[in-house]
Amino acid sequence: GAGVSQSPRYKVAKRGQDVALRCDPISGHVSLFWYQQALGQGPEFLTYFQNEAQLDKSGLPSDRFFAERPEGSVSTLKIQRTQQEDSAVYLCASSPSGEETQYFGPGTRLLVL
Amino acid sequence: RKEVEQDPGPFNVPEGATVAFNCTYSNSASQSFFWYRQDCRKEPKLLMSVYSSGNEDGRFTAQLNRASQYISLLIRDSKLSDSATYLCVVTSYSSASKIIFGSGTRLSIRP
């Protein structure tokens, strides 16, 4: 079956540009997570959805970061006025419920110039 | 001090060797523990969950020591294909934000 997909796989943005990253979770998975992974580091939690409800956004680094999952399936992570420090791989993961194994998508590699 | 700490390595061992590494965590309320494997420029993939009684999956053995707050991963008869970064994950479901990944331990198996 289809796994978690993310698009685009690569994104180059000019500093100050807005970007939108998409995540298609595994069909039927209730929980969806976004992570940011810098080079040489483990993924860092950004935000968590259960269905369409954003239950935790405490990991979002600034108010330039916004995530939504309006219909409880596809999610979008938006970064406004990108900065160079936003350059990272953004990983999306889904799970049947929040307490089970997370299945990761391939990530979006964002480079801000 | 980081909430979840791992030795970054790299561990460079010959094929067939046994290798083990630990991951320590600081939150005593942590409830679930996992080992993920991440290949270069790929997404993390679950290797195994870690249960209180310890668990084994083929050549891989994971153990949890709640008293000392660490989990371990043992790989026996290592293969070239085991070369990867191993991430430990510690979670507490009182808050979803308490899903903490370690920075990973890099393992390289040489022929």
Side-chain angles (χ1 to χ4, degrees):
Chain A
V4 178
S5 62
Q6 292 186 245
S7 61
R9 292 292 310 279
Y10 302 91
K11 177 70 179 177
V12 179
K14 291 183 179 178
R15 190 159 54 95
Q17 186 179 348
D18 296 350
V19 298
L21 313 180
R22 178 186 168 109
C23 172
D24 282 81
I26 293 173
S27 177
H29 277 195
V30 168
S31 299
L32 185 146
F33 304 81
W34 283 99
Y35 294 87
Q36 180 190 63
Q37 186 172 24
L39 192 63
Q41 299 297 313
E44 292 211 10
F45 171 85
L46 294 177
T47 186
Y48 160 62
F49 290 85
Q50 190 164 338
N51 296 307
E52 69 278 5
Q54 189 174 21
L55 298 187
D56 192 315
K57 56 182 181 179
S58 62
L60 296 176
S62 78
D63 59 8
R64 296 185 295 103
F65 286 71
F66 171 77
E68 60 183 4
R69 193 187 185 197
E71 296 178 0
S73 55
V74 171
S75 177
T76 303
L77 176 67
K78 297 178 179 177
I79 309 174
Q80 297 176 322
R81 304 181 304 281
T82 52
Q83 303 295 314
Q84 285 185 318
E85 61 264 26
D86 299 335
S87 296
V89 176
Y90 290 85
L91 293 163
C92 174
S94 70
S95 71
S97 69
E99 299 187 14
E100 297 181 25
T101 302
Q102 294 184 36
Y103 297 86
F104 282 83
T108 294
R109 197 170 297 270
L110 174 66
L111 176 62
V112 182
L113 301 176
Chain B
R1 182 187 170 195
K2 289 184 180 179
E3 288 196 58
V4 176
E5 292 201 68
Q6 294 184 250
D7 182 340
F11 285 63
N12 190 328
V13 302
E15 196 174 5
T18 295
V19 61
F21 25 85
N22 290 342
C23 167
T24 59
Y25 61 95
S26 60
N27 183 358
S28 60
S30 299
Q31 296 170 317
S32 301
F33 308 87
F34 306 88
W35 283 104
Y36 277 75
R37 171 198 169 122
Q38 187 171 29
D39 293 291
C40 189
R41 301 179 74 85
K42 298 285 189 180
E43 71 273 23
K45 291 185 178 177
L46 179 70
L47 179 64
M48 56 198 307
S49 302
V50 187
Y51 304 121
S52 297
S53 56
N55 48 303
E56 188 174 310
D57 182 3
R59 298 181 294 108
F60 298 83
T61 300
Q63 293 195 313
L64 166 63
N65 185 317
R66 283 194 183 273
S68 301
Q69 294 184 199
Y70 72 87
I71 63 172
S72 63
L73 179 67
L74 178 81
I75 306 175
R76 288 181 299 278
D77 187 25
S78 53
K79 311 290 184 192
L80 295 176
S81 57
D82 294 334
S83 297
T85 295
Y86 291 83
L87 300 161
C88 74
V89 179
V90 175
T91 69
S92 169
Y93 290 107
S94 59
S95 165
S97 62
K98 289 300 181 184
I99 299 172
I100 310 290
F101 278 75
S103 296
T105 295
R106 200 150 51 92
L107 175 64
S108 178
I109 308 298
R110 63 179 187 269

